Amino acid sequence: MIKSKRWLMACLVLASCGFTATTSPEASLKKVFKNDFLMGAALNGKQASGKDPEATAIITQHFNTISPENVLKWEAIHPQPEKYNFGPADAYVAFGRQHNMFTVGHTLVWHSQTPDWVFEDAHGKAAGKALLQQRMAEHINTVAGRYKGQIGGWDVVNEALNDDGTLRQSKWYTIIGEDYLAQAYQLARKADPKAELYYNDYNLWKPAKREGALRLVRSLQAKGLKVDGIGMQGHWGLESPSIAQIEESIVAFSKVGKVMITELDIDVLPNPSNRNGADIDATFAFDEKYNVYTNGLPEEVQQKLARRYADIFALFHKHREKIARVTFWGVTDADSWLNNWPIKGRTSYPLLFDRTYQPKPALDAVLKSVSKSSSSQ
Ligand code: 9MR
């Protein structure tokens, strides 16, 4: 392959020619990390139903765990009070069984992607506490019960915290009160006693939110509830959070249970408001100046992304005894939610495979990060 002048310049600056986009055909993330943690990806509906054969090839070569990007969310599986739409979720679970993968459930109780009717009574007024509790119970019993023994672990409650560590004033909270959290874990345990039960959130590297998550999980465990671990969503940037900030949370969370890096992707696009995390409501109007790589990612940015992934995976490998699973939020760049957040219609590059299913230098970086971490110890 003929390298561009820009690439050569980048090599000179880096004093090395960096990571390459070609990896050996046998290279496999799940094999490289087989003694360390599970490696996973979130699947969209098309992938979960096996209708994206090129994605299936990547998934089966590299991953041994899957998460459902959307098919198990309330609005998708339970759109109306009496109507469940199990088809796509059944296909997802069948995909996991067919390929012998640890199959994650995401998510039972969340403030987002939950239809309005859940929080309303028959007259369209705010539902009372008893009605909402009854709905939560019916939903968890039905969904977690249906996949009992097939889903290995559930994100029981997703994103219950504000960034300052206090509890989010979601409708769950305002109608039921703080107790909705304990009830959700109790119901999930009853519906599938053997499934692992997690708490999952974004921005958990922030010290106040880290403390909030620890307080929450410890308080549930103190009530005798089963919470097996914390999922740290990895919606991170090229520079932030720092490796030290991520590390502090991994170490802190390992004291209360398993640590999982869920929803990993690295956003390389400019950030209109220094936003971070994954607050779905924090969106901006489209502006071309924030959509800077429509014709491909410049080589120096590819290399920067690869180095960022190398540093992150060296950290994960260093803490491999604490980390149970690392899951990317998507398979290829074309699938990523970051094409539409925080601005709709952008061309994003957050994952290890490009829009044509080809490996990026970032894949090479992750595959090589094990030796980097081992040699630095
Ligand atoms: O990736 C998901 C995207 O397709 C959906 O439109 C979006 C809607 O809420 O949810 C995305 O996934 C979110 C995940 O469920 C929870 N953490 C933040 C993720 C990114 O928004």
Side-chain angles (χ1 to χ4, degrees):
M1 194 174 97
I2 300 169
K3 303 285 185 189
S4 69
K5 249 191 187 160
R6 264 172 132 184
W7 186 83
L8 286 171
M9 285 298 293
C11 288
L12 289 175
V13 173
L14 294 171
S16 103
C17 286
F19 300 101
T20 65
T22 47
T23 52
S24 98
E26 298 80 45
S28 160
L29 292 167
K30 68 180 174 192
K31 285 188 189 146
V32 165
F33 294 98
K34 69 176 187 304
N35 297 324
D36 307 325
F37 33 73
L38 295 175
M39 284 293 289
L43 309 192
N44 60 32
K46 192 173 166 198
Q47 292 159 347
S49 58
K51 293 190 186 119
D52 186 349
E54 287 167 288
T56 303
I58 293 176
I59 296 160
T60 51
Q61 178 171 351
H62 289 283
F63 301 115
N64 46 22
T65 171
I66 51 173
S67 294
E69 189 179 1
N70 287 304
V71 295
L72 271 163
K73 289 175 180 172
W74 196 309
E75 71 175 10
I77 200 166
H78 190 182
Q80 287 161 31
E82 310 297 330
K83 184 173 177 258
Y84 281 89
N85 176 27
F86 292 124
D90 285 357
Y92 163 76
V93 169
F95 185 102
R97 202 179 35 239
Q98 182 191 350
H99 298 291
N100 200 20
M101 291 176 168
F102 183 83
T103 302
V104 176
H106 172 88
T107 172
L108 293 169
V109 176
W110 190 23
H111 65 278
S112 188
Q113 285 184 287
T114 306
D116 290 343
W117 65 260
V118 175
F119 306 107
E120 291 169 0
D121 66 15
H123 311 288
K125 299 242 165 62
K129 180 172 174 173
L131 177 60
L132 189 56
Q133 285 175 313
Q134 181 197 324
R135 289 210 169 117
M136 183 202 272
E138 196 261 343
H139 180 80
I140 294 181
N141 290 341
T142 306
V143 177
R146 181 176 182 91
Y147 301 114
K148 183 176 172 179
Q150 301 184 69
I151 283 192
W154 273 103
D155 291 338
V156 176
V157 178
N158 194 44
E159 301 171 6
L161 294 165
N162 296 311
D163 275 11
D164 67 2
T166 58
L167 286 174
R168 187 190 284 271
Q169 305 286 299
S170 67
K171 289 185 179 160
W172 293 111
Y173 179 90
T174 51
I175 297 174
I176 300 180
E178 188 172 340
D179 218 29
Y180 89 88
L181 290 145
Q183 285 163 20
Y185 284 88
Q186 202 163 22
L187 288 162
R189 172 110 197 241
K190 210 164 156 223
D192 188 351
K194 290 199 183 133
E196 294 190 336
L197 306 181
Y198 316 128
Y199 175 69
N200 189 57
D201 211 331
Y202 61 84
N203 281 349
L204 289 180
W205 55 271
K206 291 191 172 181
K209 202 164 188 177
R210 174 195 304 143
E211 290 311 313
L214 286 168
R215 261 196 315 275
L216 171 61
V217 169
R218 285 200 171 111
S219 80
L220 293 167
Q221 291 172 337
K223 291 183 181 132
L225 293 161
K226 173 176 145 85
V227 184
D228 297 287
I230 298 183
M232 291 176 65
Q233 297 179 19
H235 299 299
W236 298 328
L238 275 176
E239 318 277 349
S240 163
S242 70
I243 295 297
Q245 286 168 321
I246 301 170
E247 181 166 33
E248 273 187 59
S249 292
I250 293 173
V251 172
F253 294 155
S254 71
K255 310 251 157 66
V256 299
K258 294 189 176 191
V259 182
M260 282 136 303
I261 309 298
T262 62
E263 310 192 18
L264 180 58
D265 48 29
I266 303 295
D267 195 359
V268 302
L269 294 180
N271 182 341
S273 71
N274 280 331
R275 61 89 213 160
N276 43 40
D279 182 357
I280 304 289
D281 297 328
T283 51
F284 298 87
F286 183 84
D287 186 330
E288 211 41 76
K289 74 172 184 275
Y290 296 121
N291 190 23
V292 285
Y293 305 129
T294 48
N295 295 321
L297 195 59
E299 186 59 29
E300 58 267 35
V301 188
Q302 286 281 16
Q303 292 297 325
K304 209 169 170 191
L305 176 67
R307 283 200 306 282
R308 175 71 162 150
Y309 267 119
D311 293 345
I312 286 173
F313 271 82
L315 175 72
F316 295 165
H317 194 248
K318 174 177 168 194
H319 290 294
R320 57 192 177 276
E321 294 193 344
K322 303 177 183 67
I323 297 175
R325 166 168 62 89
V326 177
T327 296
F328 290 89
W329 204 239
V331 180
T332 77
D333 287 341
D335 316 323
S336 173
W337 72 295
L338 289 170
N339 292 304
N340 288 309
W341 188 90
I343 299 173
K344 272 203 164 54
R346 292 205 295 181
T347 311
S348 287
Y349 300 85
L351 298 166
L352 304 187
F353 296 89
D354 71 15
R355 285 156 199 281
T356 61
Y357 303 90
Q358 297 309 304
K360 292 161 63 179
L363 174 66
D364 187 36
V366 174
L367 290 166
K368 287 176 179 158
S369 62
V370 173
S371 52
K372 190 176 165 201
S373 156
S374 308
S375 60
S376 66
Q377 279 167 25

